Amino acid sequence: MDRREIAALLAYIGRLDPRSIRTDQGEARDQLAQWNELLGDVPMATPYGWDARVAARQHYRASPYQIQPADVVRPWESYRRNRLALHWDPTPSADPDDQAAWTAELVDTRRAVAAGIAQPAYAPAITSSQEEIAPRLQARLDRIGSCIPPAARAALAPFRPARAAREAAAQGLPDALSVRCEWCLAPVGERCRRRRIGPNDGVRAITPRATPHPGRLDLASQQAQRTAQAQQPALA
């Protein structure tokens, strides 16, 4: 803002808060010089959403205190940060081999966006609809089968027994983790635990087991049988 715009802003603030009006000519000149020094790089308004008068009005809507230059600078800095956060640097039109021109165009674009002169360039979005993407993804998954090759899955099984148990359940075997273990009291979804007993019959440590307890497997099998029987239609 130049001195004339700052004078207009101070006149607008004076209408909102008569306490800010300086009737003495010297005080008014000092106030104008102070605001000009602190708000010289803040525009009065931009084409895309910034207006210093709106910032002043918002201050008096939320605070009973007289406005200070910082109460206008803070919203302006927040406005700049928000716009830069939305900006996605587009590919410059300059020659990529000319590093100076390439960098200068990127910097100029960012400055224009931050100053409210240009709109942020948003990241390119997927233009295809979900109906068009889903069949292609399904066809690719059917062709690949799994993102983990079978040999790698078998090699990883000893190091992730819980996952191996769930994969075995998907192949028709009972899922032991779908029921609570009555032996070690492991809850649903967690591996069975092994308790190490000390000389005085106290529990020294609890470590997860690589395989579930046999009783838990039996409970999972019984639950699977009951579920299958419940799903069968009743005979007439």
Side-chain angles (χ1 to χ4, degrees):
M1 284 184 279
D2 55 25
R3 294 178 65 88
R4 185 177 59 179
E5 291 174 328
I6 290 178
L9 177 62
L10 289 174
Y12 175 77
I13 292 174
R15 292 197 297 271
L16 298 178
D17 182 11
R19 296 173 300 175
S20 64
I21 299 176
R22 301 294 183 265
T23 56
D24 183 77
Q25 186 175 1
E27 292 181 357
R29 184 171 55 251
D30 293 341
Q31 183 189 41
L32 180 60
Q34 178 197 26
W35 282 65
N36 183 52
E37 179 69 22
L38 298 175
L39 301 181
D41 59 343
V42 179
M44 172 67 83
T46 66
Y48 302 107
W50 165 257
D51 194 319
R53 291 164 296 186
V54 174
R57 184 167 65 250
Q58 292 295 335
H59 167 79
Y60 281 112
R61 292 185 61 178
S63 173
Y65 301 104
Q66 292 190 38
I67 192 171
Q68 300 296 327
D71 297 321
V72 179
V73 175
R74 279 195 299 267
W76 166 246
E77 295 297 336
S78 177
Y79 170 86
R80 287 168 51 89
R81 287 193 301 269
N82 292 339
R83 290 180 62 82
L84 286 176
L86 295 174
H87 181 61
W88 182 277
D89 289 323
T91 303
S93 59
D95 185 0
D97 295 330
D98 189 349
Q99 185 64 38
W102 181 279
T103 304
E105 185 172 343
L106 282 177
V107 171
D108 291 342
T109 303
R110 292 183 183 180
R111 286 176 176 172
V113 170
I117 301 174
Q119 283 284 55
Y122 299 100
I126 298 176
T127 56
S128 300
S129 63
Q130 189 68 22
E131 291 76 10
E132 297 174 359
I133 297 175
R136 289 182 294 171
L137 290 179
Q138 188 61 45
R140 187 170 183 180
L141 287 175
D142 295 339
R143 184 171 63 255
I144 296 175
S146 173
C147 59
I148 302 179
R153 190 184 301 277
L156 291 173
F159 303 99
R160 49 176 198 167
R163 178 68 179 180
R166 287 300 174 91
E167 291 174 353
Q171 298 176 2
L173 301 177
D175 183 6
L177 302 186
S178 63
V179 297
R180 179 175 179 268
C181 182
E182 300 297 336
W183 178 262
C184 65
L185 306 181
V188 175
E190 294 188 9
R191 296 161 56 183
C192 288
R193 298 168 288 196
R194 179 187 294 109
R195 287 180 286 184
R196 296 181 180 178
I197 308 299
N200 57 351
D201 295 335
V203 178
R204 297 180 56 185
I206 298 178
T207 58
R209 285 172 51 96
T211 58
H213 286 106
R216 193 175 191 181
L217 286 172
D218 295 340
L219 287 176
S221 299
Q222 296 172 7
Q223 183 182 26
Q225 292 176 1
R226 289 195 297 268
T227 303
Q229 293 174 359
Q231 293 176 352
Q232 292 179 356
L235 298 177

